[in-house]
């Protein structure tokens, strides 16, 4: 985990909000029947909720993924994202250690 990369990814209120939304699947519309067994949220639902362009959301999700905060899974034409709780917890712990 690169703390500087995580801080950079979190330096945007919408990216932070996306992480909050991803805490609960119920923050998004129900999954399509063919996707109910998949973990995560389709990027289209994230884009719709954020009200931003597809290219902006793609950039935001790439930054969050590169920082290790989310994991992506591709299924056909859809990409699903979920939080990486282990990385989030490790980052919080590392920051706590460094700043105390």
């Amino acid at each position: 985990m690169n703390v500087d990369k995580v801080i950079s990814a979190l330096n945007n209120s919408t990216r932070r909000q996306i992480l909050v939304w991803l805490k609960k699947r119920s923050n998004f519309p129900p999954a399509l029947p063919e996707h109910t067994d998949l973990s995560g949220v389709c990027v289209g639902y994230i884009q719709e909720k954020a009200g931003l362009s597809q290219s902006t959301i793609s950039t935001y999700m790439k930054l969050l993924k590169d920082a290790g905060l989310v994991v992506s899974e591709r299924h056909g034409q859809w990409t699903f994202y979920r939080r990486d709780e282990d990385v989030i917890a490790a980052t919080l712990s590392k920051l706590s250690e460094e700043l105390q």
Side-chain angles (χ1 to χ4, degrees), residues 19-28 41 83:
L19 285 175
V20 170
W21 291 334
L22 288 173
K23 280 177 85 169
K24 293 182 183 176
R25 177 64 184 83
S26 62
N27 286 320
F28 297 93
V41 175
R83 289 166 45 119

Side-chain angles (χ1 to χ4, degrees), residues 2 15 35-36 43 48 54 63-64 73 80 85 100:
N2 181 325
R15 291 192 294 263
H35 298 145
T36 56
V43 70
E48 185 178 304
Q54 184 272 330
L63 287 167
L64 292 171
E73 211 175 309
F80 292 79
E85 298 298 341
Q100 288 184 348

Side-chain angles (χ1 to χ4, degrees), residues 34-96:
E34 61 269 25
H35 298 145
T36 56
D37 61 332
L38 302 175
S39 63
V41 175
C42 179
V43 70
Y45 288 165
I46 298 169
Q47 176 192 355
E48 185 178 304
K49 190 161 183 86
L52 298 172
S53 71
Q54 184 272 330
S55 61
T56 299
I57 292 299
S58 291
T59 300
Y60 284 4
M61 297 314 294
K62 181 178 179 353
L63 287 167
L64 292 171
K65 183 179 176 184
D66 289 348
L69 297 168
V70 298
V71 176
S72 69
E73 211 175 309
R74 184 96 174 149
H75 290 276
Q77 67 187 29
W78 295 280
T79 303
F80 292 79
Y81 288 93
R82 62 180 167 77
R83 289 166 45 119
D84 189 325
E85 298 298 341
D86 292 337
V87 170
I88 292 170
T91 301
L92 291 171
S93 178
K94 179 91 171 149
L95 283 171
S96 179

